[in-house]
Amino acid sequence: MLTRIFMALGLSALPFTPATATSSCAADAMLVFDGSVSMAEISFDIQDATRIVDARVAIRRAMPDVEKFRRIGLITYGPGDSACSGINLRFPPISNAADRVIAEVDAMVPEGLTPLAASVERAAEVLDYRTNPAIVVLVTDGNETCGGTPCALATSMMGQAADLTVHVIGFKVVRDFFSWDNPEQKDYFEGDTVAKCLSDRTGGKFVSTETVDELTEALRETLGCALIG
């Protein structure tokens, strides 16, 4: 019946799709993934898996769903020659990135500290954020521990960016309220990771997750594409 209606109106009968992607889907994205030593820890329940094990499950579930919407690249931080040097560009944005992201995260051995501000800045640079639309999705289990200043960084980048959005996914976040190497924590937040500043100041989303299902959904929401009916 629909085909006859389309033909009567002079229109082609196209396959049905549930929604139409917005223009933001054209923007490349970088996933910044926490590989610091705390990702090898468990939560308060000693029967739980380590954070990295649960995060790998979420990555395997989410990536095949989100790779169809945009090109995605990967930066990891943690393992390196020194505690704060392990910022690693695994690859810039590519099409069909799921298998490669999954393989890289599966191969990681958590080590080192958390240079999250420097890692997000590196990701934005890879995307050439001063001239191109850019999306950065940070997955972290804690606060900045390498002396970076996420709030100041976000303000600085927004003053230069063409169209930058940083989404932050906190996964089983370990809060460190009095850290000497996290100078912005005491001034800006009451309980959240200071990384929230990056999303607050760039118009992104901050999603706090505790379970594999929550992390999976947060990855789909931030790396995927906003849809309109």
Side-chain angles (χ1 to χ4, degrees):
M1 176 62 71
L2 286 177
T3 301
R4 294 194 188 100
I5 293 173
F6 286 134
M7 293 177 65
L9 295 174
L11 301 174
S12 298
L14 298 176
F16 174 76
T17 55
T20 302
T22 65
S23 60
S24 65
C25 293
D28 287 348
M30 289 295 297
L31 174 62
V32 179
F33 186 85
D34 189 339
S36 62
V37 68
S38 58
M39 288 291 284
E41 298 173 354
I42 60 174
S43 62
F44 296 109
D45 187 343
I46 61 173
Q47 295 182 337
D48 285 350
T50 61
R51 292 183 181 87
I52 188 67
V53 169
D54 281 347
R56 285 171 180 151
V57 175
I59 288 286
R60 290 189 207 107
R61 291 180 182 175
M63 287 307 302
D65 295 331
V66 301
E67 69 172 359
K68 65 190 72 172
F69 292 114
R70 68 177 83 252
R71 301 195 314 164
I72 299 171
L74 176 66
I75 280 178
T76 61
Y77 62 81
D81 294 332
S82 63
C84 290
S85 68
I87 301 173
N88 190 328
L89 173 60
R90 302 289 178 162
F91 55 91
I94 59 173
S95 300
N96 303 314
D99 286 346
R100 189 156 178 194
V101 171
I102 291 167
E104 294 284 1
V105 172
D106 279 351
M108 289 190 70
V109 178
E111 293 179 4
L113 297 179
T114 310
L116 62 83
S119 299
V120 168
E121 184 176 20
R122 177 76 185 282
E125 294 285 357
V126 170
L127 294 168
D128 194 14
Y129 76 100
R130 295 178 182 86
T131 57
N132 295 321
I135 295 172
V136 177
V137 177
L138 168 66
V139 177
T140 180
D141 75 344
N143 289 309
E144 170 71 47
T145 58
C146 288
T149 51
C151 299
L153 172 65
T155 299
S156 174
M157 289 196 301
M158 288 305 289
Q160 306 172 61
D163 180 9
L164 172 67
T165 304
V166 180
H167 302 298
V168 177
I169 303 173
F171 182 53
K172 300 184 180 182
V173 168
V174 179
R175 293 175 173 86
D176 182 5
F177 304 112
F178 307 107
S179 177
W180 64 269
D181 49 8
N182 188 357
E184 293 174 330
Q185 180 69 56
K186 60 182 176 57
D187 297 326
Y188 196 80
F189 293 103
E190 297 179 358
D192 287 317
T193 167
V194 73
K196 185 174 184 292
C197 205
L198 291 161
S199 54
D200 285 352
R201 298 194 181 186
T202 64
K205 296 180 179 180
F206 175 78
V207 188
S208 181
T209 64
E210 293 292 332
T211 67
V212 171
D213 288 344
E214 290 173 349
L215 179 56
T216 302
E217 184 57 33
L219 288 165
R220 287 171 176 154
E221 181 180 357
T222 55
L223 278 174
C225 184
L227 300 179
I228 57 174

